[in-house]
Amino acid sequence: MIKIAEILSTGRNILWDQVKQIGVDHVVTSMPPAVGNEMGWEYMPMLRMKNNFNDAGFDVAVIESTPPMLRIKLGLEGREEELDDVCTFIESMGRVGIKTWCYNWMAVLNWTRTSSTVPSRGGAFVTGYDHAMMKNAPLTEAGEVSENQLWETLHEFLERVTPVAEQYGVEMAMHPDDPPLSPLRGVGRIMRTLDNYQKLLDLVPSPMNGITFCQGNFALMTDDQPAAIRHFGAQRKIFFVHFRDVRGDVENYVETFHDDGPTDMMACLRAYRDIGFEGVLRPDHVPTLAGEDNDHPGYSALCRLYAVGYIRGLREAVYREDG
């Protein structure tokens, strides 16, 4: 059965208790902070972080952050040192028993929105993206970055780190570009189509080279997410799931409540069931509800708890069908 997880900071706060109280036992988190001369990707900070969660009753399933990788992605001088650090990071994950690493190939710009205050149901705030608003945006400090350049650096990266991931049993789950369009302020984006995802998997074939199936982004790549889940699931390449939805198209969309978007979320869960996926799923990018601040758009607490309840109900219905 698919497992429900939540993303929690490495420092304990009230959300740890709330998430545990609603029945979530699996955690997605970030790389631990440096401690003195020990960098967060090294063994001891990783071990202490994992034990902190274990002591609170959580299993750490996924790390969703990385050591610095910009030089790697852009092919710049200094990338060898970054590659060494990434290999140490993967080794540390494997040695402490954290199975899955969610990473991305977005260079310079990470996930990008043009608004974080789009009114949704009942006046809740959601994020949105309108590409027309970006037409006058300047280039980033990296200037023009071609898609070919990114494919070349990705190939170099995979050839270097995949053997380490295989040795230490760490799944590398590539997250889509967000938004999945190219270019963005002059920077190419390559993880943005189903065909490109298949190219990723074929670039360096390995049981450790796979996908974070972020449904909000895949909804902008295909009108049939269950078919895409089955396609990649048949190859055993879905390692981690972000469960969310959007309304619109890749150049103009808004995020939605989990129960208020156009995607048939139950059909997606059926597809995960049918491919035998037993990894973790976490709700992602929720609305900000009344009474909450909007300092961290997409990650306010109340609607994350609501989303977990909604997903638990869907999961129960789907897996009862199977029984």
Side-chain angles (χ1 to χ4, degrees), residues 291-302:
E292 296 187 288
D293 65 52
N294 199 33
D295 292 345
H296 302 287
Y299 289 95
S300 59
L302 291 180

PDB file of all heavy atoms in Angstrom, residues 291-302:
ATOM      1  N   GLY A 291      -6.777  32.963   8.846  1.00  0.00           N
ATOM      2  CA  GLY A 291      -6.155  32.890  10.158  1.00  0.00           C
ATOM      3  C   GLY A 291      -4.687  32.521  10.124  1.00  0.00           C
ATOM      4  O   GLY A 291      -4.018  32.574  11.165  1.00  0.00           O
ATOM      5  N   GLU A 292      -4.179  32.131   8.967  1.00  0.00           N
ATOM      6  CA  GLU A 292      -2.757  31.781   8.833  1.00  0.00           C
ATOM      7  C   GLU A 292      -2.032  32.888   8.083  1.00  0.00           C
ATOM      8  O   GLU A 292      -2.616  33.573   7.241  1.00  0.00           O
ATOM      9  CB  GLU A 292      -2.595  30.478   8.038  1.00  0.00           C
ATOM     10  CG  GLU A 292      -3.175  29.250   8.693  1.00  0.00           C
ATOM     11  CD  GLU A 292      -2.820  28.005   7.901  1.00  0.00           C
ATOM     12  OE1 GLU A 292      -3.385  27.825   6.812  1.00  0.00           O
ATOM     13  OE2 GLU A 292      -1.982  27.215   8.374  1.00  0.00           O
ATOM     14  N   ASP A 293      -0.742  33.044   8.382  1.00  0.00           N
ATOM     15  CA  ASP A 293       0.040  33.960   7.558  1.00  0.00           C
ATOM     16  C   ASP A 293       0.449  33.247   6.275  1.00  0.00           C
ATOM     17  O   ASP A 293       0.373  32.027   6.174  1.00  0.00           O
ATOM     18  CB  ASP A 293       1.256  34.506   8.311  1.00  0.00           C
ATOM     19  CG  ASP A 293       2.282  33.437   8.672  1.00  0.00           C
ATOM     20  OD1 ASP A 293       2.707  32.689   7.760  1.00  0.00           O
ATOM     21  OD2 ASP A 293       2.671  33.344   9.852  1.00  0.00           O
ATOM     22  N   ASN A 294       0.844  34.045   5.300  1.00  0.00           N
ATOM     23  CA  ASN A 294       1.186  33.508   3.983  1.00  0.00           C
ATOM     24  C   ASN A 294       2.683  33.666   3.723  1.00  0.00           C
ATOM     25  O   ASN A 294       3.109  33.880   2.597  1.00  0.00           O
ATOM     26  CB  ASN A 294       0.366  34.232   2.898  1.00  0.00           C
ATOM     27  CG  ASN A 294       0.294  33.459   1.595  1.00  0.00           C
ATOM     28  OD1 ASN A 294       0.286  32.231   1.575  1.00  0.00           O
ATOM     29  ND2 ASN A 294       0.231  34.183   0.485  1.00  0.00           N
ATOM     30  N   ASP A 295       3.479  33.539   4.790  1.00  0.00           N
ATOM     31  CA  ASP A 295       4.919  33.738   4.668  1.00  0.00           C
ATOM     32  C   ASP A 295       5.598  32.629   3.869  1.00  0.00           C
ATOM     33  O   ASP A 295       6.657  32.851   3.269  1.00  0.00           O
ATOM     34  CB  ASP A 295       5.568  33.808   6.061  1.00  0.00           C
ATOM     35  CG  ASP A 295       5.166  35.049   6.819  1.00  0.00           C
ATOM     36  OD1 ASP A 295       4.623  35.978   6.188  1.00  0.00           O
ATOM     37  OD2 ASP A 295       5.375  35.096   8.047  1.00  0.00           O
ATOM     38  N   HIS A 296       5.006  31.440   3.868  1.00  0.00           N
ATOM     39  CA  HIS A 296       5.569  30.309   3.128  1.00  0.00           C
ATOM     40  C   HIS A 296       4.480  29.734   2.224  1.00  0.00           C
ATOM     41  O   HIS A 296       3.898  28.697   2.529  1.00  0.00           O
ATOM     42  CB  HIS A 296       6.114  29.250   4.087  1.00  0.00           C
ATOM     43  CG  HIS A 296       7.175  29.765   5.011  1.00  0.00           C
ATOM     44  ND1 HIS A 296       8.452  30.053   4.573  1.00  0.00           N
ATOM     45  CD2 HIS A 296       7.143  30.079   6.326  1.00  0.00           C
ATOM     46  CE1 HIS A 296       9.168  30.502   5.584  1.00  0.00           C
ATOM     47  NE2 HIS A 296       8.402  30.538   6.659  1.00  0.00           N
ATOM     48  N   PRO A 297       4.188  30.428   1.126  1.00  0.00           N
ATOM     49  CA  PRO A 297       3.080  30.004   0.265  1.00  0.00           C
ATOM     50  C   PRO A 297       3.215  28.536  -0.159  1.00  0.00           C
ATOM     51  O   PRO A 297       4.288  28.083  -0.556  1.00  0.00           O
ATOM     52  CB  PRO A 297       3.187  30.935  -0.948  1.00  0.00           C
ATOM     53  CG  PRO A 297       3.893  32.137  -0.424  1.00  0.00           C
ATOM     54  CD  PRO A 297       4.863  31.627   0.596  1.00  0.00           C
ATOM     55  N   GLY A 298       2.107  27.819  -0.053  1.00  0.00           N
ATOM     56  CA  GLY A 298       2.093  26.408  -0.421  1.00  0.00           C
ATOM     57  C   GLY A 298       2.382  25.468   0.725  1.00  0.00           C
ATOM     58  O   GLY A 298       2.165  24.264   0.603  1.00  0.00           O
ATOM     59  N   TYR A 299       2.863  26.018   1.859  1.00  0.00           N
ATOM     60  CA  TYR A 299       3.292  25.148   2.960  1.00  0.00           C
ATOM     61  C   TYR A 299       2.707  25.562   4.303  1.00  0.00           C
ATOM     62  O   TYR A 299       3.288  25.275   5.349  1.00  0.00           O
ATOM     63  CB  TYR A 299       4.820  25.114   3.035  1.00  0.00           C
ATOM     64  CG  TYR A 299       5.415  24.358   1.878  1.00  0.00           C
ATOM     65  CD1 TYR A 299       5.853  25.029   0.740  1.00  0.00           C
ATOM     66  CD2 TYR A 299       5.496  22.974   1.899  1.00  0.00           C
ATOM     67  CE1 TYR A 299       6.367  24.331  -0.341  1.00  0.00           C
ATOM     68  CE2 TYR A 299       6.010  22.275   0.826  1.00  0.00           C
ATOM     69  CZ  TYR A 299       6.448  22.957  -0.289  1.00  0.00           C
ATOM     70  OH  TYR A 299       6.948  22.274  -1.362  1.00  0.00           O
ATOM     71  N   SER A 300       1.550  26.202   4.306  1.00  0.00           N
ATOM     72  CA  SER A 300       0.893  26.509   5.571  1.00  0.00           C
ATOM     73  C   SER A 300       0.381  25.209   6.200  1.00  0.00           C
ATOM     74  O   SER A 300       0.201  24.193   5.530  1.00  0.00           O
ATOM     75  CB  SER A 300      -0.254  27.490   5.349  1.00  0.00           C
ATOM     76  OG  SER A 300      -1.196  26.948   4.444  1.00  0.00           O
ATOM     77  N   ALA A 301       0.157  25.245   7.509  1.00  0.00           N
ATOM     78  CA  ALA A 301      -0.075  23.996   8.246  1.00  0.00           C
ATOM     79  C   ALA A 301      -1.492  23.460   8.118  1.00  0.00           C
ATOM     80  O   ALA A 301      -1.691  22.255   7.914  1.00  0.00           O
ATOM     81  CB  ALA A 301       0.266  24.200   9.721  1.00  0.00           C
ATOM     82  N   LEU A 302      -2.502  24.325   8.254  1.00  0.00           N
ATOM     83  CA  LEU A 302      -3.867  23.823   8.379  1.00  0.00           C
ATOM     84  C   LEU A 302      -4.298  22.998   7.174  1.00  0.00           C
ATOM     85  O   LEU A 302      -4.878  21.922   7.308  1.00  0.00           O
ATOM     86  CB  LEU A 302      -4.843  24.992   8.591  1.00  0.00           C
ATOM     87  CG  LEU A 302      -4.756  25.718   9.935  1.00  0.00           C
ATOM     88  CD1 LEU A 302      -5.781  26.853   9.987  1.00  0.00           C
ATOM     89  CD2 LEU A 302      -4.982  24.760  11.090  1.00  0.00           C
TER      90      LEU A 302
END
